[in-house]
């Protein structure tokens, strides 16, 4: 096999190109397709070289790298979490990611992952709920109505069958924004005055808040038998949403236990606190919900395999739609041992100018 | 402080733009400036949040992520190592990297790092040799004449005072390429028939080979008193260039011991094998070479701080030269809590089309 020069130039999918792609294909189609990829990849869990993400913490936030690979493809995501960013006009979470060819190490895709992360997180949440929530779940409390909330709403509507949302956010403007955005969705939207009120009568409770603190978003006295809790926002050390008594009262499911014990709501619990990895339920190796009265918790922190699955969907869809452009991030060398030669040659001309370079 | 929308769009420095920049400024100037940055950053070693890089190994190679940060800036490098790539017409090592703002997590630079890695590795090698080699060193054996070799040559010529190179590579075409590339450099170039011959009479021995094996490039019987060995190529588990008796015969210096013990030539040695970190010598906390007859080894594997220093040079130089373009990798949102809104709005038009998105 000979590689062409162009083969070292990855496809670049910008944020506007990703928006274009999702508008063309429809959001619910994209979330469903990403969910299918995640489910398929979780079923071959042991094919992947997995590690807890690498986090650099600072006073106001964290920057993380999330690599994963199987025998053929490698991916990583860069993602930050800075809750104070919204006050500066910036997003709390910004992300981009890369796919690469394991056989050669060449990057094949450089993509935005801010929009795509919102879709893959919602897809994962909905997949978990499809497996863990009571099948007759129709009402969901949505606590935290920020950047990711609408994606959760659409995913639960189309993949789980949710028809009614009970909404609460400490910022009423965030809730108003969600209501406006989802006016045409067909979902029944009920604005509530508190978390406690929103949770009343809910079959599923989704918490997707951004505070970088051990916030008590949900406590055990708000729970009802049979609830499924989708805890999305507690996703780094020192950042939790559930009190310990919620976790004690429930059967708890996670993505990748070594990472979740550091970052998830279960960081509050002893190291031997029992959790089930979601892939084990998908694969039929472990039980999900044991009975209709049990409270289940999906303590989601976001795992690299979900980004791998989402990036592969976006890559294939962009190629199919002819979206994106090539990025000259890697030098295209006629002779790979002659990197220095790129400095000597004018573009398009073989004439050497060693004086200029060596001067 | 309010951020403009453009502030989330990092500068993009492509491989051709980096070549342009180095041609404009001159290679030796760039290597010297990067060396200055590396030296300055090594002197404030304890300001950095450091970790061993994260490697995903596969049959034919490795893909690594190398993050580091201080209170203000974060960087990471993506880099592969696939020795068989040259047979496919691809580079053994391809890299790119990112700078980001620690306060917000926003990326500020996305840059090629294939060319830049060659410069920063050469700069680090030359900095180490300036400190560790005998000051009267003029002759360097250069074992391995591949993609990085000319950069090592130029760095040692201008920062260390090397005047003569004794060259050897198992591939004679690689040596011929180096000779042609450096014809105008002013260096005296002596082509040798073996490593043993090249090392004869050398003050400094630089090994920069690519085999992903425990290759015996240099053994103790080739050494002479007072030599400095710059071992660049042994840089991942299972990949070494020096025999254990070379390391036993020498005083050994490394970049970041926790990483070097996994990846460097010292991976062959017991966990308590004594090494000195280069920054300790720069800072005057530990001695370098103890006497003129001592053999010194710089067991270089490449550390994230060197890329941080190099990226900061390239960023500043590109901005000064007006090179590079902006990359829309992160969505520019009017309201950071309204990510979903980007799907509803036509570019340049506030009119909503929820049907298309929600369909």
């Amino acid at each position: 096999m000979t590689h062409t020069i162009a083969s070292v130039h990855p496809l670049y999918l910008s944020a506007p190109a990703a928006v274009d792609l999702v508008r063309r294909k429809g959001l619910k189609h994209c979330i469903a397709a990403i969910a299918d990829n995640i489910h398929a990849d979780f079923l071959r869990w042991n094919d992947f070289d997995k590690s807890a993400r690498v986090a650099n913490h600072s006073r106001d936030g964290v920057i993380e790298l999330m690599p994963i690979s199987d025998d053929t493809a490698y991916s990583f995501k860069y993602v930050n979490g800075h809750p104070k960013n919204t006050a500066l006009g910036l997003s709390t979470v910004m992300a981009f990611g890369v796919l690469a060819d394991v056989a050669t190490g060449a990057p094949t895709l450089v993509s935005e992952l801010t929009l795509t992360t919102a879709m893959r997180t919602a897809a994962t949440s909905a997949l978990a709920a499809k497996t863990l929530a009571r099948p007759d779940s129709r009402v969901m409390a949505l606590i935290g109505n920020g950047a990711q909330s609408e994606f959760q709403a659409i995913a639960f509507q189309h993949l789980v069958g949710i028809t009614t949302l009970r909404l609460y956010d400490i910022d009423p403007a965030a809730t108003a924004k969600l209501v406006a955005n989802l006016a045409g969705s067909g979902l029944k939207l009920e604005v509530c005055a508190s978390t406690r009120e929103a949770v009343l009568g809910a079959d599923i409770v989704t918490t997707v808040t951004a505070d970088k603190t051990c916030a008590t978003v949900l406590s055990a006295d708000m729970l009802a038998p049979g609830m499924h809790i989708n805890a999305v926002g507690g996703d780094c050390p020192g950042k939790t949403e559930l009190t310990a008594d919620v976790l004690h009262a429930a059967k708890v499911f996670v993505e990748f236990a070594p990472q979740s014990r550091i970052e998830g709501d279960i960081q509050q619990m002893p190291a031997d606190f029992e959790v089930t990895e979601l892939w084990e339920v998908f694969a039929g190796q472990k039980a999900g919900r044991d009975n209709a009265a049990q409270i289940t918790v999906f303590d989601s922190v976001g795992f690299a395999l979900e980004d791998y699955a989402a990036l592969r969907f976006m890559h294939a869809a962009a190629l199919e739609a002819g979206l994106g452009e090539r990025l000259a991030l890697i030098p295209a060398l006629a002779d790979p041992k002659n990197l220095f030669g790129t400095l000597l040659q004018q573009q398009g001309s073989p004439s050497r100018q060693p004086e200029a370079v060596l001067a």
Side-chain angles (χ1 to χ4, degrees), chain A:
Chain A
M1 182 172 63
T2 302
H3 285 260
T4 61
I5 281 178
S7 71
V8 299
H9 289 171
L11 187 74
Y12 166 50
L13 195 66
S14 70
V19 166
D20 192 0
L21 186 62
V22 175
R23 291 172 66 94
R24 290 191 195 195
K25 301 199 76 96
L27 178 61
K28 74 182 186 198
H29 169 85
C30 291
I31 291 176
I34 291 170
D36 285 346
N37 275 13
I38 292 171
H39 189 258
D41 286 335
F42 270 49
L43 284 179
R44 53 191 197 89
W45 187 258
N46 292 316
D47 290 351
F48 289 92
D49 182 3
K50 299 175 286 290
S51 53
R53 54 189 160 198
V54 187
N56 285 53
H57 294 278
S58 53
R59 199 190 55 192
D60 292 330
V62 62
I63 299 177
E64 299 172 325
L65 295 175
M66 304 169 65
I68 195 162
S69 61
D70 62 10
D71 280 350
T72 60
Y74 168 97
S75 77
F76 80 85
K77 174 161 82 170
Y78 167 105
V79 60
N80 77 306
H82 285 70
K84 291 183 183 170
N85 268 5
T86 49
L88 306 170
L90 290 173
S91 300
T92 297
V93 173
M94 299 177 272
F96 60 90
V98 167
L99 279 175
D101 178 16
V102 162
T104 66
T108 54
L109 176 71
V110 174
S111 176
E112 88 83 34
L113 268 179
T114 307
L115 175 64
T116 305
T117 290
M119 293 194 291
R120 76 81 157 128
T121 302
T124 306
S125 288
L127 271 179
K130 238 170 103 169
T131 308
L132 302 175
R134 285 180 289 105
D136 59 346
S137 297
R138 296 291 173 266
V139 178
M140 179 164 88
L142 185 47
I143 313 301
N145 301 155
Q148 296 204 41
S149 59
E150 294 93 342
F151 299 87
Q152 291 281 335
I154 298 297
F156 277 81
Q157 179 184 19
H158 294 287
L159 300 182
V160 183
I162 290 297
T163 57
T164 301
L165 293 183
R166 294 177 61 77
L167 306 168
Y168 178 68
D169 194 295
I170 52 171
D171 173 11
T175 305
K177 170 220 62 164
L178 181 150
V179 169
N181 280 338
L182 296 185
S185 68
L187 284 162
K188 187 175 172 201
L189 305 171
E190 301 177 343
V191 178
C192 302
S194 66
T195 297
R196 187 173 296 276
E197 182 188 326
V199 167
L200 266 182
D203 303 303
I204 296 175
V205 178
T206 287
T207 55
V208 55
T209 65
D211 262 347
K212 197 191 175 181
T213 53
C214 290
T216 303
V217 175
L218 208 62
S219 53
D221 56 317
M222 303 181 190
L223 305 180
M227 265 186 183
H228 172 67
I229 298 160
N230 172 41
V232 177
D235 63 356
C236 74
K239 181 167 181 290
T240 57
E241 296 182 322
L242 310 180
T243 58
D245 58 355
V246 172
L247 297 165
H248 278 302
K251 183 169 183 181
V252 178
F253 300 83
V254 300
E255 291 140 312
F256 179 51
Q259 177 178 307
S260 302
R261 291 196 189 276
I262 300 168
E263 303 177 356
D265 279 291
I266 60 166
Q267 68 187 265
Q268 312 167 60
M269 311 308 276
D272 61 350
F273 179 76
E274 193 180 342
V275 297
T276 303
E277 288 185 334
L278 198 54
W279 75 273
E280 298 175 294
V281 183
F282 290 170
Q285 294 184 11
K286 294 244 177 107
R289 162 180 296 276
D290 295 311
N291 57 66
Q294 190 172 46
I295 293 171
T296 50
V297 168
F298 175 44
D299 181 10
S300 170
V301 296
F303 182 49
L305 186 48
E306 297 150 24
D307 301 303
Y308 172 99
L311 282 167
R312 282 163 70 93
F313 166 73
M314 294 298 277
H315 193 199
L319 287 175
E320 186 192 294
L323 286 170
E325 51 196 289
R326 294 284 159 182
L327 213 56
L329 199 52
I330 306 294
L333 304 177
D335 170 5
K337 289 190 183 176
N338 198 6
L339 178 60
F340 189 84
T342 59
L343 296 174
L344 299 179
Q345 291 166 12
Q346 289 282 25
Q347 280 184 304
S349 150
S351 68
R352 285 161 188 263
Q353 295 193 317
E355 304 75 19
V357 174
L358 300 173

